[in-house]
Amino acid sequence: MVTKKKELRVSVFSSFEDENRAEHRRLALLTPMQRMEEFAILQERMWGKKWTEERIVKIASFEKLTW
């Protein structure tokens, strides 16, 4: 098994606006697969094993409108 060495980088920003700009630049460079992996990590942090083993939305409804 080959282990991949992960590089960690810490940045300090002078404002929330600077941090937001840097985060948007980082997200723009991600591939669609990397975005999905990041989304899955965040969902698992929020919901734990329920994210994959249990339905979170129990009831969904919609209303059809005629315009």
Side-chain angles (χ1 to χ4, degrees):
M1 183 169 100
V2 177
T3 57
K4 196 174 186 182
K5 190 172 183 178
K6 194 172 193 176
E7 182 180 314
L8 298 177
R9 188 174 130 204
V10 176
S11 299
V12 178
F13 300 97
S14 60
S15 69
F16 287 115
E17 291 81 11
D18 289 344
E19 186 273 335
N20 283 334
R21 280 192 288 276
E23 179 65 3
H24 286 286
R25 281 192 304 269
R26 184 189 73 80
L27 290 172
L29 296 174
L30 295 179
T31 65
M33 190 62 189
Q34 289 171 320
R35 286 177 185 235
M36 290 302 295
E37 289 171 359
E38 189 166 313
F39 176 72
I41 290 168
L42 294 174
Q43 290 295 75
E44 190 168 331
R45 283 183 193 167
M46 178 68 184
W47 301 104
K49 292 295 179 185
K50 290 181 181 181
W51 168 240
T52 55
E53 297 173 359
E54 189 178 308
R55 277 188 277 159
I56 296 170
V57 177
K58 303 296 183 190
I59 297 173
S61 62
F62 66 94
E63 181 180 350
K64 188 174 182 179
L65 300 174
T66 57
W67 293 80

